[in-house]
């Protein structure tokens, strides 16, 4: 158990809908990262937050947004969902914003868009 | 641009035999390199990393990896494979020249250890 929690574990929804995925980092970790894992795209970095501020953006669609709250938990909002958004969404955390330490991954949220 | 290649989608090895999972990378500067493992229906778990220093890095569960700058490789190895090592392995790289914290993951290699 990495200490990173994600809810819900599974989410099934319809095209055009909006969902929110939640991540609680390990105690004391200030950085939160979001990733999308799909069979055709592999593991794609979406966005990084550090202590409430956005630090880096990856391949995140405009329909997707994220934020990190004062208690350091983070939410990933996915709107106008399409079939291709079906994937595993992971969040990861680490203590600081340094470049050399490893990230700790949560168990993921499996999103299915029908 | 940063990139990571794992040339083998699938590696099969007999239990007790040595295993190697290959990784090559491309960055503009010096790399930070990582290996992660993903068991079915689980998140990724950190195995080991190369930051600087000794080219041979030892990590969790008996795994090690060798950084080879001239070949831009960071292959994962284990002297004696266990059935429980069967999982998906990801190599990842971070370019230390970038000012932001973005990790690029390889496509993953599925390791099957056959009893």
């Amino acid at each position: 158990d990495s200490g990173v929690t994600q809810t819900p574990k599974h989410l099934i929804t319809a095209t055009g809908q909006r969902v929110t995925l939640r991540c609680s980092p390990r105690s004391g970790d200030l950085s939160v990262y979001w990733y999308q894992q799909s069979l055709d795209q592999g593991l794609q970095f979406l966005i990084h937050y550090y202590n409430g501020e956005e630090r880096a953006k990856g391949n995140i669609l405009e329909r997707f947004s994220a934020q990190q709250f004062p208690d350091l938990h983070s939410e990933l909002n996915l709107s106008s969902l399409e079939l291709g958004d079906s994937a595993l969404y992971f969040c990861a955390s680490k203590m600081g914003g340094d470049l050399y330490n490893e990230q700790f991954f949560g168990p993921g949220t499996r999103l299915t868009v029908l | 641009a940063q990139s990571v290649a794992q040339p083998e989608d699938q590696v099969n090895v007999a239990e007790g035999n040595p295993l190697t999972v290959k990784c090559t990378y491309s960055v503009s500067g010096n790399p930070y390199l990582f290996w992660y493992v993903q068991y079915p229906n689980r998140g990724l778990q950190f195995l080991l990393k190369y930051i600087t220093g000794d080219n041979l890095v030892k990590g969790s569960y008996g795994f090690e990896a060798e950084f080879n700058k001239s070949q831009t490789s960071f292959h994962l190895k284990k002297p004696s494979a266990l059935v429980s090592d069967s999982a998906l392995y990801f190599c990842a790289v971070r370019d230390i020249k970038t000012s932001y914290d973005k990790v690029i993951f390889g496509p993953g290699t599925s390791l099957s250890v056959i009893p």
Side-chain angles (χ1 to χ4, degrees), chain A residues 80-101:
Chain A
S80 302
L81 285 168
E82 302 175 358
L83 295 178
D85 297 328
S86 295
L88 260 174
Y89 291 85
F90 289 106
C91 84
S93 75
K94 71 179 183 184
M95 185 174 297
D98 59 82
L99 302 186
Y100 48 82
N101 278 320

Side-chain angles (χ1 to χ4, degrees), chain A residues 33 35 37 43 45 48 56 90 94 98-103 105-107, chain B residues 32 34 36 38 42-44 46 49 51 90 94 98 100-103 105:
Chain A
Y33 308 78
Y35 294 88
Q37 186 180 34
L43 194 62
F45 165 73
H48 168 215
F90 289 106
K94 71 179 183 184
D98 59 82
L99 302 186
Y100 48 82
N101 278 320
E102 61 273 20
Q103 299 172 17
F105 282 76
Chain B
Y32 292 154
F34 304 80
Y36 288 83
Q38 184 180 25
R42 305 281 295 274
L44 278 70
F46 169 75
K49 65 183 176 184
I51 302 301
F90 290 93
R94 179 181 289 127
T98 63
Y100 54 89
D101 189 9
K102 179 180 174 182
V103 176
F105 283 84

Side-chain angles (χ1 to χ4, degrees), chain B residues 38-115:
Chain B
Q38 184 180 25
Y39 297 101
N41 301 312
R42 305 281 295 274
L44 278 70
Q45 294 178 35
F46 169 75
L47 278 179
L48 51 78
K49 65 183 176 184
Y50 172 82
I51 302 301
T52 187
D54 194 350
N55 289 344
L56 185 62
V57 178
K58 293 189 184 297
S60 307
Y61 313 120
F63 284 94
E64 58 187 30
E66 185 165 12
F67 171 62
N68 187 318
K69 188 172 183 178
S70 62
Q71 297 186 5
T72 62
S73 67
F74 189 56
H75 300 333
L76 181 70
K77 300 182 180 184
K78 187 173 182 181
S80 178
L82 300 172
V83 172
S84 57
D85 293 329
S86 298
L88 191 56
Y89 290 81
F90 290 93
C91 181
V93 65
R94 179 181 289 127
D95 186 347
I96 66 172
K97 273 195 170 181
T98 63
S99 59
Y100 54 89
D101 189 9
K102 179 180 174 182
V103 176
I104 303 298
F105 283 84
T109 297
S110 179
L111 173 68
S112 290
V113 181
I114 303 157

